[in-house]
Amino acid sequence: VRQALAELSRAGMVQRVRKKGTVVTVERPSAQFKGNRSGFGLILPEIRSGIYPSLIKGFGEGAATVQQELMTCETAGDIYRQGDTILRLLEREVAGVAIVPAFEPMPEYQLQALRSHGVPVVFCHRRTTKLKAPLIGWSFEEVGRLAAATLTELGHRRLAFVDVAPTVANEGYLSGFRSELQRRAIPFS
């Protein structure tokens, strides 16, 4: 939260007032945001599976509430495609970028390119090494619990959890899924 507020302060969107706290800036943000910046970039390693369709839907709904366009970009987990995507978003003069970084460590110059153009950045799901930006994360167990709760509330009583490869995320999903079913006294094998 502290890092996110610092980013917003640097962007001129909030102002820290001694003994009063942090307040939203009434005027248009600082010179970094001059021009017709609009829309948000969402950079993802893939868009069709896992958590990514839900991220796209959530960010799309959020962008719509502030009447902005969401540009969803797929990198296939390749850091060079990620860099090209960042350049394209800079050319479009986006107002902000959320990124699930490629699995390889994100080169520092990619994040620096966004920052040097005054574009606020947040990481989603995972942070890359050495680079500092706010992180939007979630509990894998909570996701599993919510999935089981939603399915049972819809009336389903025979549920299965299918996993293609064991990962930390999938283990968390399964743990939360199983615990919610146990809490609701629904058998799980």
Side-chain angles (χ1 to χ4, degrees):
V1 171
R2 195 172 351 102
Q3 289 175 343
L5 287 172
E7 284 281 324
L8 291 171
S9 179
R10 280 192 293 277
M13 300 181 85
V14 297
Q15 182 180 12
R16 292 183 174 175
V17 180
R18 189 174 178 181
K19 295 186 180 181
K20 289 192 179 191
T22 303
V23 295
V24 176
T25 307
V26 177
E27 300 172 10
R28 181 137 176 99
S30 68
Q32 300 178 48
F33 282 85
K34 282 186 179 171
N36 294 325
R37 290 191 180 210
S38 65
F40 301 108
L42 178 58
I43 304 173
L44 304 170
E46 61 177 289
I47 59 174
R48 290 174 188 82
S49 65
I51 60 171
Y52 304 117
S54 295
L55 272 178
I56 293 167
K57 182 177 185 237
F59 273 88
E61 289 170 358
T65 63
V66 292
Q67 300 170 345
Q68 294 291 331
E69 175 186 14
L70 177 68
M71 292 161 264
T72 304
C73 308
E74 182 177 19
T75 66
D78 180 307
I79 58 170
Y80 301 109
R81 279 182 67 177
Q82 181 174 283
D84 289 344
T85 298
I86 289 169
L87 290 175
R88 284 195 320 265
L89 291 172
L90 286 172
E91 186 176 329
R92 300 262 324 250
E93 295 185 341
V94 294
V97 171
I99 181 170
V100 176
F103 293 103
E104 295 180 54
M106 182 177 177
E108 199 167 324
Y109 63 85
Q110 290 181 359
L111 183 61
Q112 193 56 39
L114 291 163
R115 286 191 173 147
S116 68
H117 285 83
V119 178
V121 178
V122 295
F123 287 123
C124 297
H125 183 51
R126 65 177 168 266
R127 194 183 306 273
T128 185
T129 57
K130 295 183 183 177
L131 303 175
K132 303 287 187 220
L135 173 68
I136 299 171
W138 47 87
S139 161
F140 300 130
E141 286 189 24
E142 183 63 20
V143 171
R145 276 193 293 279
L146 288 171
T150 301
L151 291 168
T152 56
E153 287 166 9
L154 290 171
H156 298 283
R157 295 294 176 258
R158 295 184 63 186
L159 303 172
F161 183 89
V162 180
D163 175 351
V164 294
T167 64
V168 171
N170 289 344
E171 289 172 11
Y173 299 148
L174 178 58
S175 174
F177 193 82
R178 184 177 280 146
S179 71
E180 183 63 23
L181 292 179
Q182 287 172 346
R183 190 182 77 73
R184 293 172 181 256
I186 296 174
F188 182 82
S189 57

